[in-house]
């Protein structure tokens, strides 16, 4: 065998022995020895009709030795493979030089910009053709990963059995086995996404739907069976950006928004530990919260210490790699726009939330700071936000040293659920928006022009702004409401300065001037602007 570096190879073996339940009574394991002598143990998975598959990705060039062993089935292979060079960058990891940033296995920096489409695989209105158009549209708008769930639509599974992830049927389920047809369809989607450069944040557990919320059906052993199968089947995909244990983990185990202490955080930590132990490629792990670690109660409506943060729960947990946030949607400064039927304004503590969680030296991603509204469509019970607010929130997050995942009312991929809980309103999947995706693409494009992985929050200025800098070389300063700013640029000499319009993605004229301790700048108007300052060296 010849396998390119960081490329997935699939071993396929047909077992000669049949078992009543191959998902629980037997396993297939591969042992791979690298050219340098390192050993990887990889688990295979059952794919129906007595077929077993094992997916392997070499991370060293040269000759590998491998051995496949089946426990309880008549499987045995022994051989060698040669790993050759390839242009692949590998898996997404924490940046080796900056714990707040990301890079591929080969060190290439990765700037994540996410989009939320929970039911991308199996929400009823999302046809294969529409899914293809959606993915290409988002890639063209610079989004490079999608937040999506596994087994999202119970309603769709009732109509089309390919969307039922377990054995049996939704009416007569068998949670001790799984439906390979469901996962083959998910395989195809991940392959399609990989081909166009789209990564996946895979939400493993969904406590908004059955069977996850049925504590009698969904036992700890069945949860481990489910997670382990997902790891065995998908850990070799290099476009898996991260595993998210669950959305709103506080809804564990019964679907109710209630923070149980210490049970809920302890469950997250033990689950993260299990994932790390069983993922041979060590994908990044996070969990998505809704209640601040500074809460004074047990629900999202209870008071909490400002700013919202989650680091006290998971910042020191070695198995949680990324701190996920959900804040910036409500609070002082945010008002309901009756005409547009969406929220407007800014959360004054959004930046402080990023800074508070960066204390733990981990990347911080705000995955829900407000979904953009869409005129003429239902408002998800008043949970949508105006385009200006969405844009400003994302700029504030990134310039505070975090990252974001956005979402848009037309493409959230939650139609089946919301058509049930918000009847008689009708939700669907429509490739329309109010302009935020195009405007957010400007964030990605601008940050590709600077070494953002070397930049950190910068505070030596006066004015309504938030800033990142590689001091003395590069500064990105965001002014959400225009105005004046005074910056300490001492000992920097000649600097190139220019204003960037975050709405249009266009620069104003460049000025080269000597800077000093009290360098003063004035935005072109009262709208939001970005001030770019770079060191200038004459040829």
């Amino acid at each position: 065998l010849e396998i390119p570096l960081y490329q997935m190879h699939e071993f396929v073996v047909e077992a000669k022995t049949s078992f009543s339940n191959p998902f629980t009574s037997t396993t297939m394991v591969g042992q791979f020895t690298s050219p340098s002598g390192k050993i990887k143990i990889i688990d295979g998975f059952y794919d129906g009709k007595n077929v077993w598959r094992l997916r392997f990705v070499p991370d060293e060039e040269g000759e590998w030795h491998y051995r496949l062993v089946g426990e309880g089935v008549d499987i045995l292979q022994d051989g060698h493979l040669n790993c050759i060079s390839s242009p692949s960058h590998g898996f997404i990891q924490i940046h080796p030089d900056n714990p707040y940033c990301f890079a591929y296995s080969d060190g290439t920096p990765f700037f994540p910009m996410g989009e939320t489409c929970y039911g991308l695989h199996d929400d009823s209105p999302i046809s294969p053709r529409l899914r293809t158009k959606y993915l290409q549209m988002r890639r063209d708008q610079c989004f490079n990963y999608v937040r999506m769930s596994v087994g999202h639509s119970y309603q769709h599974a009732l109509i089309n059995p390919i969307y039922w992830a377990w054995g049996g049927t939704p009416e007569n389920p068998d949670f001790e086995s799984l439906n390979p047809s469901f996962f083959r369809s998910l395989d195809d989607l991940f392959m399609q996404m990989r081909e166009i450069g789209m990564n996946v944040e895979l939400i493993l557990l969904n406590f908004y739907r059955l069977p996850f919320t049925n504590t009698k059906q969904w036992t700890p052993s069945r949860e481990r069976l489910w997670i382990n199968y997902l790891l065995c089947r998908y850990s070799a995909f290099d476009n898996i950006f991260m595993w998210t244990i669950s959305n709103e983990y506080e809804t564990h185990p019964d679907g109710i928004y209630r923070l149980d202490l210490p049970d809920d955080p302890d469950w997250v930590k033990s689950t993260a530990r299990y994932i790390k132990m069983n993922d041979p490629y060590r994908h990044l792990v996070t969990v998505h919260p809704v209640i601040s670690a500074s809460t004074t109660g047990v629900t999202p409506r209870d008071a909490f210490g400002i700013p919202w943060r989650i680091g006290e729960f998971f910042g020191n947990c070695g198995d949680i790699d990324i701190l996920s946030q959900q804040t910036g949607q409500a609070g002082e400064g945010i008002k309901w726009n009756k005409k547009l039927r969406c929220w407007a304004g800014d959360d004054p503590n959004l930046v402080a939330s990023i800074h508070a969680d960066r204390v733990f030296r981990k990347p911080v991603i705000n995955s829900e700071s407000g979904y953009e509204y869409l005129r003429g469509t239902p408002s998800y019970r008043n949970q949508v936000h105006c385009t200006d607010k969405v844009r400003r929130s994302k700029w504030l997050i990134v310039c505070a040293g975090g990252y974001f995942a956005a979402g848009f009312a037309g493409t959230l991929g939650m139609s089946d659920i919301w058509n049930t809980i918000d009847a008689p309103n009708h939700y669907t999947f429509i490739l329309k928006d109010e302009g935020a995706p195009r405007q957010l693409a400007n964030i990605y494009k601008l940050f590709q022009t600077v070494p953002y992985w070397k930049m950190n929050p910068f505070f030596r200025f006066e004015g309504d702004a938030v800033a990142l800098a590689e001091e003395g070389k590069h500064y990105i300063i965001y002014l959400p409401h225009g105005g004046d700013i005074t910056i300490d640029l001492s000992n920097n000499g000649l600097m190139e300065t220019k204003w960037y319009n975050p709405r249009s993605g266009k620069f104003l004229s460049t000025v080269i001037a000597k800077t000093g301790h009290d360098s003063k700048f004035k935005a072109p108007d009262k709208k939001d602007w970005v001030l770019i300052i770079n060191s200038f060296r004459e040829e």
Side-chain angles (χ1 to χ4, degrees):
L1 295 173
E2 273 197 349
I3 305 175
L5 184 70
Y6 299 127
Q7 299 293 307
M8 180 172 66
H9 177 76
E10 184 172 273
F11 294 89
V12 183
V13 179
E14 185 172 350
K16 298 178 181 179
T17 305
S18 298
F19 284 79
S20 59
N21 189 352
F23 295 100
T24 59
S25 59
T26 183
T27 59
M28 173 181 169
V29 179
Q31 177 175 299
F32 296 82
T33 305
S34 74
S36 66
K38 297 178 182 178
I39 295 176
K40 281 185 178 291
I41 304 297
I42 313 290
D43 288 329
F45 59 91
Y46 183 68
D47 199 34
K49 298 181 180 180
N50 274 8
V51 172
W52 286 81
R53 301 180 189 273
L54 187 149
R55 292 167 173 168
F56 168 70
V57 178
D59 57 1
E60 287 184 29
E61 293 185 38
E63 186 176 82
W64 290 70
H65 173 260
Y66 72 90
R67 175 170 293 170
L68 308 183
V69 179
E71 297 182 13
V73 293
D74 186 16
I75 301 173
L76 178 64
Q77 282 191 20
D78 192 89
H80 292 83
L81 59 89
N82 183 37
C83 176
I84 59 176
S85 63
S86 85
S88 175
H89 295 302
F91 296 93
I92 301 170
Q93 305 168 340
I94 302 299
H95 197 289
D97 300 325
N98 189 335
Y100 304 104
C101 297
F102 302 95
Y104 291 95
S105 302
D106 67 355
T108 302
F110 173 70
F111 185 97
M113 194 168 91
E115 143 80 319
T116 302
C117 184
Y118 292 116
L120 179 61
H121 176 232
D122 52 4
D123 201 46
S124 296
I126 307 178
S127 66
R129 180 174 174 273
L130 195 56
R131 182 188 298 127
T132 297
K133 291 180 65 176
Y134 159 79
L135 288 170
Q136 192 57 62
M137 179 180 73
R138 290 292 183 248
R139 280 301 292 129
D140 292 343
Q141 293 165 340
C142 299
F143 291 91
N144 54 23
Y145 79 94
V146 176
R147 304 184 67 236
M148 60 174 291
S149 180
V150 185
H152 180 71
S153 173
Y154 186 80
Q155 291 84 350
H156 200 181
L158 288 170
I159 300 170
N160 187 342
I162 196 175
Y163 293 113
W164 180 245
W166 292 271
T169 65
E171 300 94 332
N172 187 23
D174 174 11
F175 297 117
E176 295 293 326
S177 64
L178 297 161
N179 177 13
S181 296
F182 172 90
F183 293 99
R184 289 188 209 114
S185 177
L186 193 58
D187 291 351
D188 293 342
L189 172 58
F190 289 171
M191 291 290 192
Q192 177 188 6
M193 295 173 73
R194 186 182 186 280
E195 288 175 2
I196 65 169
M198 185 67 86
N199 299 287
V200 181
E201 176 188 345
L202 194 60
I203 302 169
L204 302 177
L205 300 165
N206 186 344
F207 292 105
Y208 289 98
R209 56 151 290 181
L210 295 171
F212 301 104
T213 57
N214 187 322
T215 55
K216 293 183 178 179
Q217 291 180 330
W218 195 248
T219 63
S221 63
R222 288 174 176 172
E223 186 165 284
R224 286 292 191 258
L225 171 66
W226 172 260
I227 292 175
N228 189 64
Y229 191 79
L230 292 171
L231 296 177
C232 292
R233 189 149 193 147
Y234 297 113
S235 62
F237 281 74
D238 60 1
N239 64 323
I240 295 289
F241 173 27
M242 60 177 133
W243 309 115
T244 292
I245 295 171
S246 75
N247 246 23
E248 283 87 49
Y249 76 94
E250 304 91 344
T251 57
H252 168 268
D254 52 12
I256 299 174
Y257 281 100
R258 180 192 63 248
L259 176 62
D260 298 318
L261 294 174
D263 293 4
D264 286 342
D266 286 349
W267 168 76
V268 167
K269 293 173 185 177
S270 65
T271 304
R273 191 176 310 116
Y274 180 84
I275 293 171
K276 285 293 188 182
M277 290 174 60
N278 290 278
D279 178 359
Y281 301 106
R282 307 287 290 180
H283 289 280
L284 302 174
V285 177
T286 190
V287 68
H288 183 67
V290 66
I291 300 175
S292 175
S294 61
T295 185
T296 60
V298 296
T299 76
R301 293 184 175 88
D302 290 323
F304 60 88
I306 300 296
W308 189 104
R309 54 198 185 271
I310 200 62
E312 286 92 330
F313 281 166
F314 305 117
N316 292 319
C317 174
D319 299 308
I320 295 291
D321 303 293
I322 300 167
L323 294 179
S324 177
Q325 294 189 348
Q326 180 179 178
T327 189
Q329 300 179 55
E332 184 181 354
I334 297 178
K335 296 182 179 180
W336 182 253
N337 185 314
K338 293 181 180 180
K339 181 179 179 181
L340 298 179
R341 298 185 67 244
C342 60
W343 294 100
D346 298 302
D347 179 357
N349 299 300
L350 184 60
V351 169
S353 292
I354 298 290
H355 291 161
D357 276 344
R358 276 178 58 99
V359 169
F360 296 92
R361 295 183 61 78
K362 292 182 178 183
V364 181
I365 298 181
N366 188 317
S367 301
E368 287 188 280
S369 62
Y371 298 131
E372 186 192 34
Y373 82 110
L374 182 60
R375 275 177 257 210
T377 62
S379 68
Y380 292 93
R381 292 186 175 178
N382 296 348
Q383 295 185 63
V384 290
H385 302 250
C386 75
T387 302
D388 286 345
K389 179 183 179 300
V390 169
R391 181 190 64 256
R392 288 195 300 264
S393 293
K394 283 20 174 200
W395 274 100
L396 289 168
I397 290 166
V398 172
C399 289
Y403 298 97
F404 68 86
F408 313 98
T411 56
L412 282 177
M414 297 194 293
S415 302
D416 289 335
I417 287 179
W418 279 88
N419 284 336
T420 299
I421 66 175
D422 198 27
N425 283 320
H426 179 69
Y427 293 82
T428 187
F429 191 82
I430 180 171
L431 303 185
K432 291 183 179 180
D433 56 70
E434 295 295 329
R438 176 186 57 79
Q439 293 180 13
L440 298 184
N442 295 331
I443 299 177
Y444 183 88
K445 293 174 182 177
L446 178 65
F447 273 81
Q448 297 308 300
T449 67
V450 295
Y452 62 86
W453 60 94
K454 297 181 181 179
M455 303 174 76
N456 287 293
F458 176 74
F459 302 100
R460 295 204 311 275
F461 62 85
E462 294 181 4
D464 178 15
V466 59
L468 282 178
E470 182 188 9
E471 292 196 41
K473 296 182 179 180
H474 305 282
Y475 301 80
I476 295 180
I477 304 163
Y478 180 63
L479 288 73
H481 308 106
D484 301 322
I485 186 170
T486 302
I487 312 172
D488 182 359
L489 295 172
S490 303
N491 304 317
N492 283 346
L494 285 176
M495 301 294 285
E496 174 189 84
T497 65
K498 51 189 172 182
W499 288 101
Y500 181 73
N501 186 329
R503 300 167 299 285
S504 68
K506 295 181 179 179
F507 290 97
L508 298 188
S509 59
T510 300
V511 175
I512 299 173
K514 186 173 180 59
T515 57
H517 177 72
D518 292 324
S519 296
K520 300 181 185 298
F521 302 90
K522 185 178 181 61
D525 55 41
K526 293 182 179 180
K527 296 180 181 179
D528 57 327
W529 287 89
V530 184
L531 178 62
I532 313 297
I533 303 175
N534 294 312
S535 60
F536 178 78
R537 299 288 182 270
E538 294 184 88
E539 296 294 334

